[in-house]
Amino acid sequence: MKLAMNIPLIRLLVIKDWQLFQKPLAAHVLAGLFALGLLGLARPWAFYLGSLLLIVVLVAGSCFAVSTSLLEERKQQTLAFVMSLPVSPLDFTVAKLAGGLLTFGVPFMVLLLGTVVVILSTPLPDGLLVYSLLIYGHVLLAYCISLAVAMQVQSEGWNIFAMIASNLLVNPLIMLLGQIDAISVPARGEDIVWSLPAVAILSAQLLLSLCTLAFTAWWHGRKAAFY
Amino acid sequence: MNDIQSGAPAGAPPDARVHAFDHLRALAMLAGVLFHAGLAYSPLLHPWWPTADRQHAPVVDTLLWLSHLVRMPLFFLVAGYFAALVQQRRGIGGLARQRVRRILLPLLVAWPLVHWGTGAATTWAAGAVEHPAPMLRMIAEWMAMPDAPSLPPTTGHLWFLYYLLLFGVLHWAGRALELGGLLRRWLDRGMLAVALCLPGLLWPGFALAPAPHPAPESLLPQFWAIGVYGPFYALGVALHGRLDALATLRRWLPAGALLCLLAYAIFLLQLEAGLTLANAAWSTALLEAMVAGWGTLGCLACGLRWLAQPRAWLGYLARSAYWSYIVHLPLLFAIQYALMDLEWPWAAKFATAVVTTLALCLLSYEALVRRTPLRRWVG
């Protein structure tokens, strides 16, 4: 595999993705801050409303990032224009992966840090941190799967299916975590307990996310032509 | 001579530095030092403030809460103006970099140091002061508990830096969502319309907090603080390049000042019932909103009228104000704890505390900031 890449152009493509995503990103950040503010009220109704809104914002953020960066561009035949630029399929793949990770990663990290601050600085039990990180881990994995599918599959229907299915699996995950005593019991206490099941689930989420991205990069990078 | 319409020196280019804003920001921050020093002699805050002195006087409350309702709104209005200025000159990326260098880094570095300094002074006072304030006594009892629960971390008096960062994010979001047109249309209706509707915008924010409103020290965004300070920041952004709009305010200054003082007098009467942790009544919140809105606009108009010329001493205060404000509270607490057992009148203690604190702040600015690389961050 030829690894020489056109870095300046990749950078421009990433900046282009970032700029096109500004509006949805701003809306997500505003909604996320509102959700964190609700959580910070430390009242039961505000906690339920805030946590629900936070999950909605995370899922919507992941879907919008994939949709803006890949699906919309496909509809507008942007690839045909990109092919006229001095970029290889590998350059394009790297730009899309980096752009996608940036547009998703910024709101994701802002909300992740906000959640950590909320849990540690309010009367909410600190043990909730592990539980929350596992949910964030799932959203990350769902995003990576959606991104990989969007890069691989042209069909809009299959892409929507992949986004909805992977993100909706957060519901069974929340139920599953509630069934595992080693995770659900400490979540109600003040100690942050990294039990074996919690570490195993988070590690699996991170590893699968990484493998999905690495496989996607390898699969597309080895192509000699765009089609 | 300065151009009264814009506040900039006559003949200066349109984007020339508006000295009045520098001076107003400096005075707002220094008013904070006076405010924190005055809290020790406030009858209203006596049960709640750790440096509360045995000597206190009702006149302190009369003066204190007026400055409380105006100084931080004014600060955020000026901050919004400067943020728009930086954005115009360096773009939104430049504004973000400037916020990181001038706000985020100083906050991250100063926060633990200030926290430690204030804590050390209070720990010393809890054991050494013979006539402690009720709050200091409570802190001493709490410290003596074998398993005392730890308090959640707060931003302390550096909350304004946290909110400047938050408003920076909201500024970017507003720009990305193209909400600037709303601000422009708001200002297009004329400054009198802005002045009339400003209390209405602030009202819900004040109603979501106790009266007088506390400092929003929590690490989480407080809706009431965004509702109270956000409109001022947004107005500051909108006023950039539109300072001529303020000219009409000058005609209304005497009437506005009278209304403001009247609202403040009624507010003071309502405060006589004492301080509670419950949210303010809607009527009290409206009075606060009127005082804060009109008082801030009045200060702005006065500043543009009388503080527009560059003056050496005000320029020096403006440059040292940021550093002074960051470091003043631990110093002030230590000095006021040391003064607690003295049999001096409150006014003498207040003057000693303010003069000594400001002297130490300015000396440390001279020694540590003015001629060192630190001035890039906090100078």
Side-chain angles (χ1 to χ4, degrees):
Chain A
M1 187 167 64
K2 195 178 167 186
L3 277 176
M5 289 190 285
N6 190 341
I7 300 293
L9 209 61
I10 290 174
R11 193 169 157 267
L12 284 176
L13 288 173
V14 171
I15 291 172
K16 183 262 298 169
D17 275 357
W18 171 256
Q19 287 181 343
L20 286 178
F21 193 59
Q22 292 268 307
K23 269 190 190 178
L25 183 67
H28 291 142
V29 169
L30 286 182
L33 286 174
F34 182 69
L36 290 174
L38 281 176
L39 286 178
L41 292 177
R43 291 179 188 156
W45 67 268
F47 175 76
Y48 288 116
L49 192 61
S51 49
L52 181 67
L53 183 59
L54 199 60
I55 291 175
V56 169
V57 170
L58 279 169
V59 170
S62 110
C63 294
F64 265 95
V66 172
S67 170
T68 311
S69 160
L70 284 156
L71 305 186
E72 284 296 316
E73 286 200 352
R74 202 166 283 154
K75 272 191 210 167
Q76 293 163 1
Q77 309 275 313
T78 309
L79 183 59
F81 168 71
V82 172
M83 286 167 71
S84 70
L85 301 174
V87 286
S88 66
L90 177 65
D91 293 336
F92 182 69
T93 303
V94 170
K96 278 293 149 198
L97 282 176
L101 284 175
L102 184 71
T103 51
F104 168 74
V106 169
F108 180 82
M109 286 311 294
V110 168
L111 295 179
L112 176 62
L113 287 174
T115 305
V116 171
V117 170
V118 167
I119 292 171
L120 298 183
S121 71
T122 65
L124 288 172
D126 289 0
L128 202 58
L129 185 71
V130 175
Y131 198 92
S132 306
L133 289 180
L134 293 176
I135 292 173
Y136 271 90
H138 177 82
V139 174
L140 176 67
L141 176 59
Y143 171 75
C144 291
I145 291 171
S146 302
L147 182 65
V149 172
M151 290 192 69
Q152 183 64 32
V153 181
Q154 302 282 325
S155 158
E156 192 175 355
W158 279 112
N159 274 298
I160 291 172
F161 172 77
M163 280 192 268
I164 292 177
S166 59
N167 281 297
L168 275 184
L169 285 173
V170 78
N171 279 316
L173 176 79
I174 290 171
M175 280 181 64
L176 175 74
L177 297 180
Q179 305 287 319
I180 303 172
D181 287 346
I183 296 173
S184 62
V185 174
R188 291 189 283 272
E190 281 305 322
D191 295 325
I192 298 168
V193 180
W194 283 103
S195 61
L196 188 63
V199 173
I201 293 172
L202 190 63
S203 306
Q205 289 168 334
L206 295 178
L207 198 66
L208 278 172
S209 303
L210 203 63
C211 287
T212 307
L213 292 179
F215 175 77
T216 308
W218 172 77
W219 182 261
H220 287 271
R222 59 198 267 278
K223 285 185 189 172
F226 281 95
Y227 289 106
Chain B
M1 280 294 288
N2 65 296
D3 180 351
I4 293 167
Q5 297 280 308
S6 68
D15 63 344
R17 188 154 197 103
V18 181
H19 295 285
F21 275 71
D22 277 330
H23 299 158
L24 280 170
R25 182 173 53 178
L27 292 178
M29 294 190 101
L30 291 176
V33 180
L34 294 175
F35 173 75
H36 288 139
L39 288 177
Y41 314 102
S42 151
L44 191 69
L45 225 68
H46 188 76
W48 304 93
W49 192 246
T51 62
D53 202 275
R54 287 169 294 158
Q55 315 269 350
H56 44 81
V59 68
V60 175
D61 277 335
T62 308
L63 298 172
L64 214 55
W65 304 115
L66 183 62
S67 82
H68 183 52
L69 284 167
V70 171
R71 70 182 178 91
M72 290 315 288
L74 182 63
F75 170 78
F76 278 106
L77 192 151
V78 173
Y81 177 88
F82 280 124
L85 181 77
V86 174
Q87 187 209 318
Q88 186 204 36
R89 287 181 181 172
R90 305 183 200 168
I92 199 78
L95 176 64
R97 282 189 291 278
Q98 195 248 20
R99 300 281 110 163
V100 168
R101 179 170 58 84
R102 294 278 300 176
I103 300 173
L104 180 62
L105 289 177
L107 173 63
L108 292 177
V109 173
W111 183 24
L113 295 175
V114 166
H115 194 72
W116 173 82
T118 314
T122 304
T123 306
W124 168 78
V129 172
E130 287 178 16
H131 301 95
M135 179 55 83
L136 185 59
R137 193 177 298 123
M138 207 174 85
I139 292 171
E141 286 166 8
W142 173 77
M143 283 165 57
M145 286 165 62
D147 296 316
S150 59
L151 294 172
T154 69
T155 50
H157 80 289
L158 301 180
W159 65 266
F160 72 101
L161 295 176
Y162 176 85
Y163 276 85
L164 281 178
L165 289 173
L166 183 66
F167 289 145
V169 172
L170 296 180
H171 186 150
W172 161 78
R175 183 181 168 275
L177 294 170
E178 296 169 7
L179 299 178
L182 282 178
L183 284 179
R184 276 193 297 278
R185 279 200 292 279
W186 187 34
L187 217 56
D188 284 345
R189 290 179 182 277
M191 211 54 210
L192 191 60
V194 170
L196 286 176
C197 85
L198 191 55
L201 281 177
L202 305 172
W203 193 3
F206 279 113
L208 287 171
H213 59 279
E217 294 179 348
S218 163
L219 282 180
L220 289 165
Q222 301 290 299
F223 289 136
W224 75 262
I226 295 172
V228 166
Y229 299 119
F232 288 106
Y233 184 94
L235 182 59
V237 172
L239 279 173
H240 178 246
R242 302 280 303 271
L243 285 182
D244 54 327
L246 287 169
T248 53
L249 271 188
R250 291 186 51 207
R251 271 190 295 146
W252 294 93
L253 203 54
L258 204 65
L259 273 175
C260 195
L261 288 175
L262 187 67
Y264 182 62
I266 304 170
F267 170 70
L268 281 181
L269 288 175
Q270 295 199 353
L271 277 190
E272 279 186 352
L275 198 74
T276 66
L277 295 177
N279 288 352
W282 282 92
S283 58
T284 312
L286 180 60
L287 291 168
E288 287 182 284
M290 288 158 75
V291 176
W294 295 339
T296 303
L297 290 178
C299 286
L300 190 62
C302 292
L304 287 170
R305 174 71 182 83
W306 288 297
L307 297 175
Q309 294 292 346
R311 291 191 183 101
W313 68 276
L314 266 177
Y316 181 81
L317 277 186
R319 287 188 295 279
S320 63
Y322 188 18
W323 167 263
S324 297
Y325 196 78
I326 287 176
V327 300
H328 84 277
L329 204 66
L331 298 171
L332 179 70
F333 269 36
I335 293 162
Q336 289 194 316
Y337 286 138
L339 293 171
M340 265 176 155
D341 288 333
L342 300 180
E343 296 294 336
W344 294 4
W346 73 265
K349 288 186 180 182
F350 173 74
T352 306
V354 169
V355 170
T356 316
T357 302
L358 284 179
L360 289 173
C361 288
L362 294 179
L363 280 173
S364 58
Y365 170 73
E366 279 291 328
L368 301 173
V369 180
R370 192 176 169 204
R371 295 181 186 84
T372 73
L374 267 183
R375 73 174 182 275
R376 260 175 62 78
W377 286 273
V378 288

